Amino acid sequence: GPDHAARRPRLSDVLAERGCDLALVTDLVNVRYLTGFTGSNGALLLSPHADPVLATDGRYAEQVAQQAPGLPVRIGRDLLGSLLEAAGAPTARCAVETHAMSVDAHRDLAERVPGWELVSMRRAVEALRAVKDEYELAALRHACELSVRALRALWDGPLLGRSEREVARDLEWRMLELGAEAVAFDTIVASGPHSAIPHHEPTDRPLAAGDLLKIDFGARVDGYHADCTRTVLLRRGASWQREAHAVVRDAQAVGVRALRPGAAVADVAAEVRAVLDEAGWLEWFTTGLGHGVGLVIHEDPFLSTRHPGRLTRRTPLTMEPGVYLPGRGGVRIEDTVVVDDEPEVLTDLTTELLVLG
């Protein structure tokens, strides 16, 4: 399993650099990342100088002992009280997750520790989470492999005449049957004019000949989320549908090749946009270009021309340009890719335009 204990010192180092005595981690995904605990109520107090303390309530006493063995745990209704007692510090500079904390929770904390200076964690755990370890990459590879196998089987048909909803349920069931612990997100099955809606929710519309069929889906394995989109034609296609697909395919391939260590994120985004622009389709690209994937389906970093950073090895990202013509149809091609000298495509599935029935 994952080595959660090895992750905590990395956060402690960041805190020490910033002159913080303590960190209060309240975002449940970050609590899981740092401890292994997956319950719905928990908080972690970390200090560069002392043992970490995890707090949860009585419902999770057994679960926390199994998932976070060796960690000091406080069980009780008042998580904050338990942790503050454990800290025993009248004065401290404490980093808190202001991006994930309610205003009320922050006020409550400030009132209970008047001697503490509360500073923003500035998404420090999310920054650590962006770069995956071997265990995480293995879980992602597995999730992507199951996803691709399920879609291939679905593609074998039949498709025509079935509703979007029915096809979505079929694909989800196939992923679960193959061993996924859950689906990564609600499957998008968008046919005909619905394919122009980037995040369309499946309806009772039957799949018809001449439709573009866009499917955006993924499996979850050991907490890690796969993300993949393919767009195919049903029976036959018009020239504008083929052209849209060809342009998106070219742009997506350029984007995948650009996911190398040290590349400026803004440059990668600009390069992909340039392909769409030169072909005259840029105005129809209205969605995000890609995002990190891991314990959450959309996580840091987010690919955009405004991102100030550079890509890092072992960061899994989606690459998902698309074009959407309202009322007519749209195309998206998306892979989950790990940044490397030779980018590793985890969703190993043809991007050619398939004509299926």
Side-chain angles (χ1 to χ4, degrees):
D3 185 0
H4 300 100
R7 298 169 180 173
R8 297 191 290 268
R10 291 164 61 208
L11 181 60
S12 295
D13 291 347
V14 174
L15 296 169
E17 274 167 33
R18 296 184 189 171
C20 293
D21 312 300
L22 296 168
L24 177 63
V25 181
T26 47
D27 178 272
L28 289 171
V29 178
N30 291 339
V31 170
R32 173 180 185 165
Y33 179 74
L34 295 166
T35 67
F37 175 61
T38 63
S40 69
N41 188 29
L44 175 71
L45 192 69
L46 264 189
S47 156
H49 325 291
D51 282 340
V53 186
L54 179 60
T56 184
D57 64 65
R59 294 173 297 168
Y60 294 114
E62 204 174 324
Q63 184 177 327
V64 75
Q66 284 172 352
Q67 291 182 326
L71 253 189
V73 175
R74 299 284 178 112
I75 306 277
R77 285 213 162 162
D78 177 15
L79 300 195
L80 213 46
S82 317
L83 291 178
L84 299 180
E85 201 180 291
T91 59
R93 187 161 195 252
C94 180
V96 294
E97 298 193 293
T98 47
H99 65 287
M101 196 179 220
S102 73
V103 176
D104 285 357
H106 191 275
R107 187 187 300 126
D108 178 40
L109 177 62
E111 283 170 3
R112 291 170 79 162
V113 282
W116 287 18
E117 182 196 353
L118 303 181
V119 297
S120 172
M121 189 105 61
R122 306 207 307 269
R123 302 180 76 87
V125 187
E126 282 81 354
L128 295 177
R129 274 173 38 203
V131 178
K132 308 298 191 272
D133 61 32
E134 254 331 299
Y135 171 86
E136 295 178 290
L137 290 178
L140 273 169
R141 285 187 190 109
H142 191 190
C144 289
E145 183 209 342
L146 293 187
S147 305
V148 163
R149 280 170 60 196
L151 185 66
R152 278 207 188 103
L154 180 88
W155 273 351
D156 285 339
L159 294 168
L160 286 178
R162 299 172 74 191
S163 73
E164 293 174 340
R165 231 184 235 124
E166 193 192 332
V167 170
R169 293 301 82 83
D170 185 355
L171 182 55
E172 294 184 340
W173 179 246
R174 288 171 191 274
M175 289 189 278
L176 296 172
E177 284 284 276
L178 286 169
E181 67 183 3
V183 296
F185 52 92
D186 290 339
T187 300
I188 297 169
V189 173
S191 60
H194 289 166
S195 60
I197 302 165
H199 282 221
H200 171 70
E201 289 183 14
T203 67
D204 290 331
R205 181 187 189 278
L207 274 48
D211 280 353
L212 281 166
L213 174 64
K214 181 185 71 193
I215 299 180
D216 186 344
F217 73 111
R220 196 180 87 207
V221 172
D222 294 337
Y224 287 81
H225 297 69
D227 199 354
C228 179
T229 309
R230 288 296 185 271
T231 307
V232 300
L233 273 173
L234 296 180
R235 285 285 159 90
R236 59 171 187 268
S239 57
W240 70 268
Q241 292 171 319
R242 293 177 180 280
E243 190 193 333
H245 190 280
V247 166
V248 171
R249 187 181 181 208
D250 288 348
Q252 203 262 352
V254 164
V256 168
R257 282 198 298 273
L259 295 178
R260 296 169 195 266
V265 176
D267 291 351
V268 172
E271 224 179 303
V272 179
R273 292 175 67 85
V275 178
L276 295 171
D277 198 15
E278 279 161 31
W281 288 80
L282 184 61
E283 66 182 295
W284 308 113
F285 173 42
T286 51
T287 51
L289 179 61
H291 52 85
V293 283
L295 286 170
V296 179
I297 185 64
H298 301 117
E299 60 176 45
D300 295 349
F302 291 85
L303 297 178
S304 95
T305 51
R306 294 182 305 280
H307 191 293
R310 293 184 175 274
L311 293 174
T312 316
R313 203 182 300 277
R314 307 173 73 87
T315 302
L317 289 157
T318 67
M319 177 53 67
E320 50 178 310
V323 294
Y324 310 95
L325 302 176
R328 293 178 72 195
V331 174
R332 176 163 68 249
I333 300 173
E334 172 186 23
D335 285 307
T336 298
V337 185
V338 183
V339 174
D340 208 336
D341 295 329
E342 204 44 65
E344 182 189 359
V345 178
L346 302 189
T347 39
D348 182 20
L349 195 61
T350 184
T351 59
E352 280 172 52
L353 179 55
L354 300 182
V355 182
L356 304 174

